[in-house]
């Protein structure tokens, strides 16, 4: 872990964040930047690299929040990640924003059973139910998050249906629970409302060890809604 350098970024929600793992230390910047992601994300990347006196070409892999999240935010994050990774010839690790919040729940609350929901507007939420399992890698022991209910976009009513037989202690993370009053009684509420790039770094380590990496041209944002499309780099399939 001390020999690995990862740069992570996320713009998929109203939060905008970058984080750096370098020499075993994690540094991060988090801002609320609902309509200024495109203006803020690259200066934040430059600042965090300068703070550690390294260049982008010294990074081992680029980590990014691949969604789900707002249509514009997910596109911005994927586009910036693609441009940076392509320009510096970096491998990419794509991390779920819902899983990043589950990781935050473990780090802040030691929760290993997490219900994740981000407000998707239009009376829908991006939702997943995740349960942690401890696994060992060359970087030590880490959590692997297993989907009990796979990532989806659904109505609050459909979410409630799917959790009708919920048993045990489950922590809720994300903006979805506050956005829809009918969800308020499900699980135990946390103070984790939005994903952050710093939690993506921890998730990226076992993925790196398991060679779960892609190239810049393989980047695909995850919207979960079917009616949106993504354009890859010009001239590339």
């Amino acid at each position: 872990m001390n020999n690995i350098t990862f740069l992570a970024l996320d713009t998929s929600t109203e939060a905008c964040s970058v984080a750096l793992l370098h020499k075993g230390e994690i540094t991060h910047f988090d801002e609320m930047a609902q309509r200024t992601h495109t203006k803020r994300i690259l200066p934040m990347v430059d600042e965090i690299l300068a703070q550690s006196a390294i260049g982008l070409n010294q990074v081992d892999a680029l980590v990014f929040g691949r969604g789900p999240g707002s249509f514009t935010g997910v596109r911005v994050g994927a586009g910036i990640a693609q441009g940076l990774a392509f320009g510096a010839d970096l491998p990419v690790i794509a991390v779920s924003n819902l899983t990043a919040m589950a990781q935050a729940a473990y780090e802040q609350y030691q929760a290993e059973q997490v219900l994740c929901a981000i407000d998707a507007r239009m009376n829908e939420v991006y939702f997943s139910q995740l349960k942690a399992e401890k696994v060992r890698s060359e970087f030590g022991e880490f959590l692997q998050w297993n989907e009990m209910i796979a990532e989806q976009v659904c109505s609050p009513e459909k979410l409630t249906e799917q959790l009708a037989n919920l048993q045990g202690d489950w922590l809720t993370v994300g903006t979805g629970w506050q956005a829809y009053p009918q969800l308020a009684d499900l699980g135990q509420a946390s103070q984790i409302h939005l994903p952050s790039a710093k939690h993506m770094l921890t998730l990226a380590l076992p993925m790196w060890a398991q060679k779960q990496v892609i190239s810049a041209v393989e980047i695909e944002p995850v919207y979960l809604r079917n009616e949106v499309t993504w354009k890859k780099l010009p001239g590339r399939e």
Side-chain angles (χ1 to χ4, degrees), residues 115 160 163 166 170 172 177 180-189:
L115 303 172
T160 304
L163 296 178
L166 189 68
W170 292 84
T172 62
W177 312 99
Y180 301 100
Q182 60 267 53
L183 302 180
D185 295 332
L186 291 169
Q188 179 182 349

Side-chain angles (χ1 to χ4, degrees), residues 153-213:
V153 60
C154 65
S155 67
E157 292 75 22
K158 180 67 173 175
L159 190 161
T160 304
E161 261 179 53
Q162 293 180 83
L163 296 178
N165 299 316
L166 189 68
Q167 295 183 339
D169 296 326
W170 292 84
L171 193 73
T172 62
V173 298
T175 54
W177 312 99
Q178 294 77 34
Y180 301 100
Q182 60 267 53
L183 302 180
D185 295 332
L186 291 169
Q188 179 182 349
S190 74
Q191 294 302 307
I192 300 165
H193 304 305
L194 295 167
S196 171
K198 66 181 174 181
H199 302 297
M200 296 177 182
L201 292 172
T202 313
L203 293 171
L205 281 166
M207 294 175 74
W208 175 261
Q210 295 161 16
K211 296 182 170 43
Q212 295 177 22
V213 300

